[in-house]
Amino acid sequence: MDWLFVVLLSYLLGSIPIAYLGGLCVKGIDIGLYGDKNPGARNTFLQIGKLAGVAVAMLDIGKS
């Protein structure tokens, strides 16, 4: 039963859009509507700033 909990928790953590949440928290924007329209670390870096981009990248890596 423990493996099922781990699988479900991993799925839920992986489905959290960190760049989207970061864009909302930092600038109040949907990052998927700006730049290359990719809600990822690179677009966050280019549209919001270095610190936000690095934070999104590190949190995305941490989810893996």
Side-chain angles (χ1 to χ4, degrees):
M1 191 66 159
D2 290 334
W3 63 271
L4 181 61
F5 176 74
V6 170
V7 169
L8 289 174
L9 183 64
S10 299
Y11 178 78
L12 290 174
L13 284 176
S15 68
I16 297 172
I18 299 296
Y20 175 75
L21 295 176
L24 283 178
C25 290
V26 174
K27 274 203 167 174
I29 62 170
D30 178 359
I31 194 68
L33 300 176
Y34 294 90
D36 62 5
K37 300 190 181 356
N38 178 12
R42 181 180 180 273
N43 197 28
T44 304
F45 185 88
L46 295 174
Q47 301 304 316
I48 296 177
K50 294 178 184 178
L51 183 61
V54 170
V56 166
M58 297 304 288
L59 289 169
D60 277 342
I61 291 168
K63 289 191 317 183
S64 300

